Amino acid sequence: MNLPGLKVVKPGILTLVQDLGRFAYQHIGLSPGGAADEHAFLWANRLLNNRSNSPALEICFGGLQLEAFAKTNIAITGAEMNATINDQPIKNWQTHTLNVGDKLSFAHATSGIRSYLAIQDGFELQPSFGSVATVMREKIGGIDGYGNPLKTDDFLPCSQHKPKLTTHVPPLFIPDYQQPLILSVIASEQTDQFDPTELEKLYHWTYRISPQSDRMGIRLEGEPIAAKVNGIISEGIAYGTIQLPPDGQPIILLKDRQTMGGYPKLGTVFVLDAFLLSQQQANTEIRFTQISLEEAQEKLRYFYRFFGV
């Protein structure tokens, strides 16, 4: 093979090319898409001094195996998947050097569900509508532009680089995905669609993540919540929106969400907590608390300034 890059030996359960997503296209019905856990994604690129939006791989549940046809540097963050190079264990949340012929393998997730593999200067792929983010439902983005996950023998082009000093994420910034998760919620303009006793259920009861969850949204199972109305005029949907369908079981909408929706909204999950939510397995219990819009904005500004986004 003449071009430098990584060849897919085994694609794993679900491996997707991702960046920070597609912006300014929701008005034509395109989901933003993008890395489900931006915290892990951004750290992977930061470790390599990449642009924050450099394309990387989102490895869901594990099983990915790659062969190197380039000498370069990589970073691995996110879920713990006991990665190896040539069968030798390597550490998560830090950089590593790949040489031509090396075999990079990921086992199955033991903490979290999504791992991120960034490569120095990013994978060299053609964007669709300004992004390589894979949205399978819309058949857009990814390695071929048609929204497909990686498959055996796919080739991910990259550039060659000399080995660099190992860098790692300070322990303070490495999340523990097995800690109980409490999601902070920003109040919605539609809270008057709920009686206070019904709205209080969200903050009083414990909910479980349904197995019927994906990158589009997290379905919850628990105490049903009743709204005063069953539907509203369809309007734009923000990341982290908590919709309430007629069955009263909340749905938290994530990166591959639809662009419009007509269910009442209980509120919006704080962005940084939604990233943690995307690392949780089915049947995990979660609880909710409240956060002011001002506090959420301040924390989010600090987060994106840190990564230069």
Side-chain angles (χ1 to χ4, degrees):
M1 200 164 291
N2 295 325
L3 291 174
L6 303 184
K7 180 181 178 182
V8 178
V9 179
K10 291 184 180 179
I13 296 173
L14 179 65
T15 304
L16 306 173
V17 174
Q18 295 294 354
D19 55 20
L20 290 176
R22 217 162 258 109
F23 297 95
Y25 292 102
Q26 290 190 68
H27 67 290
I28 60 172
L30 288 181
S31 170
D37 179 1
E38 284 187 23
H39 175 266
F41 172 88
L42 287 167
W43 263 117
N45 277 320
R46 183 182 176 93
L47 288 173
L48 294 164
N49 292 320
N50 286 350
R51 293 180 299 106
S52 57
N53 200 32
S54 296
L57 297 185
E58 179 179 280
I59 307 155
C60 194
F61 298 114
L64 176 67
Q65 293 184 19
L66 301 166
E67 181 178 358
F69 286 82
K71 188 170 186 176
T72 187
N73 301 289
I74 61 169
I76 298 171
T77 60
E80 178 56 63
M81 293 185 180
N82 300 308
T84 62
I85 295 177
N86 300 327
D87 297 324
Q88 297 301 308
I90 58 175
K91 292 184 178 180
N92 198 3
W93 296 96
Q94 72 172 48
T95 60
H96 303 276
T97 296
L98 283 182
N99 294 300
V100 175
D102 281 350
K103 305 293 194 304
L104 173 62
S105 301
F106 295 79
H108 297 290
T110 58
S111 175
I113 62 173
R114 291 180 170 94
S115 184
Y116 290 86
L117 170 63
I119 198 163
Q120 192 166 350
D121 286 347
F123 294 106
E124 298 174 354
L125 300 170
Q126 187 66 34
S128 302
F129 291 91
S131 169
V132 300
T134 307
V135 182
M136 296 171 62
R137 176 173 50 87
E138 295 179 351
K139 301 185 185 303
I140 191 171
I143 192 169
D144 58 2
Y146 292 98
N148 290 311
L150 293 192
K151 62 183 185 301
T152 301
D153 292 332
D154 275 346
F155 190 77
L156 296 150
C158 69
S159 53
Q160 305 255 26
H161 292 279
K162 295 179 180 179
K164 60 181 296 183
L165 292 176
T166 299
T167 56
H168 59 86
V169 177
L172 176 65
F173 298 105
I174 299 176
D176 182 352
Y177 299 128
Q178 295 178 322
Q179 283 290 313
L181 185 58
I182 301 176
L183 302 176
S184 298
V185 177
I186 303 165
S188 166
E189 73 281 2
Q190 294 168 8
T191 52
D192 60 357
Q193 300 291 337
F194 302 89
D195 289 322
T197 53
E198 291 296 318
L199 191 61
E200 186 59 29
K201 289 180 180 179
L202 184 70
Y203 302 103
H204 179 75
W205 295 96
T206 297
Y207 288 82
R208 291 183 313 279
I209 296 176
S210 166
Q212 306 302 315
S213 300
D214 53 24
R215 282 180 46 87
M216 185 174 177
I218 300 291
R219 294 178 178 271
L220 301 181
E221 298 172 344
E223 183 70 15
I225 300 172
K228 294 179 182 178
V229 295
N230 288 328
I232 60 172
I233 296 174
S234 289
E235 60 184 13
I237 298 293
Y239 177 62
T241 294
I242 310 173
Q243 281 193 330
L244 192 72
D247 66 2
Q249 301 292 335
I251 302 172
I252 303 172
L253 296 172
L254 299 180
K255 289 301 187 75
D256 289 2
R257 65 192 180 276
Q258 73 275 24
T259 59
M260 302 283 287
Y263 291 140
K265 301 171 183 63
L266 290 157
T268 303
V269 173
F270 177 45
V271 169
L272 301 187
D273 290 350
F275 297 159
L276 288 171
L277 177 63
S278 72
Q279 292 283 7
Q280 303 303 308
Q281 296 185 4
N283 299 313
T284 298
E285 292 187 343
I286 60 173
R287 295 183 66 90
F288 294 90
T289 188
Q290 293 176 304
I291 187 173
S292 70
L293 177 61
E294 292 74 20
E295 183 181 356
Q297 288 174 329
E298 182 180 355
K299 288 182 176 181
L300 200 56
R301 277 195 297 266
Y302 180 84
F303 175 81
Y304 282 124
R305 280 189 194 133
F306 178 79
F307 288 107
V309 176

